[in-house]
Structures are given as structure tokens and as C-alpha cells.
Amino acid sequence: MSIRTILTVPDPRLKLASKPVERVDDDVRALMDDMVETMYAADGIGLAAIQIGVPKRVIVMDLSDLRDEPRYFVNPVITPLTEEVRPYSEGCLSVPEIYDEVERPVRVKVNYLDYDGEPREEIAEDLYAVCIQHEMDHLEGVVFIDYLSRLKRDRAVRRVQKLVKTKGEAA
Ligand code: GNR
Ligand code: NI
């Protein structure tokens, strides 16, 4: 297992639509293992493969307090179950230190293949619903700041560029 570098905006790879996985094999499981290690190292609650530069429809997540309940989603599909939306202050490992409110449906159905390639279906609510929709967006090349005003988005990108630059100089 290894910790991979997380891409940050405005990296053009974050705009790519990711491709479906044909088979959940050991290569895909090795990718998911690296993603979970990378997510834990960065203190995130979710990570999409494109965030480490791999354009495959793979997501990992851990919403547990002890950070010992990793979940794996291959080729996920979500269906909104309500028109009711709720705002939540979102962050993203690809937009470090920026937080802003995004409105999303409060309940969605999630169909996906798990770590063993078995099909699963779940109902997501609360933070799970927020996170899976945030991650699904990454698979389509969408980052949460794309929902903000042009002004806020441009400001966020510039702040991230500055942050990455100063961190790079410190290293
Ligand atoms: O770690 C993360 N926290 C978070 C907080 C609110 C809404 C969504 C998220 S997902 C984010 C990790 C990430 O960037 N996943 O793509
Ligand atoms: Ni994100």
C-alpha cells in the first residue's frame, strides 16, 4: 500500500469524466487500498480515484469516528429519492482549506459493486448522502466549487494555488 499525491484545483485531470471498471480484480483492489491509505493520511472522509489521477469510477469513504470502517464503491449509481434539498458546508481534499455550502437532495439510493465485486444497494441520508453525491460529482469531473459563484470559485482556486505554492517551498 502507498500514499498517493492528491491533485488540487485547477489540475485539468479533475475535470475528466471517469471510466467504468470492467472487473473488480486485484489491481482495482490495490488501487482502493492506496486510496483508503491516502484518504486516512489526509484526514478525509471520502476520496474519488481521479483525485489521485486515476480516471476510474472508484470511490472510498469512511464516515466512522474511529476511522476503521472503510467502504468501497465501484461503478456507483445514485438515484435521488426526494426533491427535498439541504445545504451542507462542504470541503474537498482537492480544494484544501476552502469550505462553502452546497445544496443536495437529502436522501439518495446508491447502487454499486463492493470490494469483492458484489452488487449492493443502500439508502444514503445525512452525511453519507452528502459525501456520496460529492464523490459522484468527481467521477463526472465536477468539484464542489463549481456550484459556487464565479467570484467565489476563482477566489478559491487562487487561494489553493497560493497554498500549494507556499507548502511546496516549505518542503
Ligand atoms: O474529507 C472530505 N470532507 C467533506 C466534508 C463535507 C462534504 C464533503 C466532504 S468529502 C471530503 C473528501 C473529498 O474531497 N472527497 O472527494
Ligand atoms: Ni472532493
Side-chain angles (χ1 to χ4, degrees):
M1 292 229 286
S2 58
I3 296 173
R4 312 271 202 107
T5 303
I6 298 177
L7 307 180
T8 55
V9 292
D11 193 302
R13 287 170 287 181
L14 291 168
K15 298 263 189 207
L16 293 175
S18 294
K19 298 250 165 35
V21 168
E22 285 188 17
R23 220 167 62 86
V24 183
D25 57 16
D26 287 346
D27 287 348
V28 174
R29 279 186 281 271
L31 168 66
M32 294 194 283
D33 291 345
D34 280 0
M35 287 171 64
V36 165
E37 193 178 357
T38 303
M39 174 182 71
Y40 287 153
D43 262 328
I45 58 173
L47 192 74
I50 193 60
Q51 293 180 275
I52 58 166
V54 179
K56 292 184 193 295
R57 302 186 80 84
V58 176
I59 289 166
V60 297
M61 194 184 296
D62 191 333
L63 303 174
S64 70
D65 290 333
L66 294 178
R67 312 202 39 79
D68 59 354
E69 294 171 34
R71 322 169 50 127
Y72 307 86
F73 303 83
V74 177
N75 298 343
V77 175
I78 56 175
T79 313
L81 294 176
T82 170
E83 285 178 26
E84 186 194 347
V85 296
R86 196 174 296 155
Y88 191 89
S89 184
E90 299 198 11
C92 181
L93 295 173
S94 296
V95 197
E97 300 187 16
I98 304 289
Y99 300 87
D100 214 325
E101 291 201 341
V102 176
E103 288 190 346
R104 302 185 189 272
V106 301
R107 241 161 64 90
V108 298
K109 184 173 74 177
V110 193
N111 291 86
Y112 62 98
L113 302 177
D114 68 12
Y115 194 84
D116 301 311
E118 295 296 324
R120 292 190 179 262
E121 177 173 301
E122 283 165 14
I123 306 296
E125 291 180 307
D126 306 311
L127 186 56
Y128 182 15
V130 171
C131 194
I132 193 69
Q133 291 178 85
H134 173 115
E135 303 308 340
M136 288 298 300
D137 276 351
H138 278 301
L139 303 190
E140 299 304 328
V142 174
V143 178
F144 85 94
I145 56 170
D146 294 336
Y147 296 111
L148 308 180
S149 68
R150 171 103 178 257
L151 177 70
K152 281 189 172 187
R153 182 169 57 251
D154 290 352
R155 193 184 282 157
V157 170
R158 269 188 235 105
R159 283 188 180 154
V160 170
Q161 284 179 303
K162 190 172 164 192
L163 179 77
V164 168
K165 189 162 169 274
T166 50
K167 284 214 168 146
E169 281 165 4

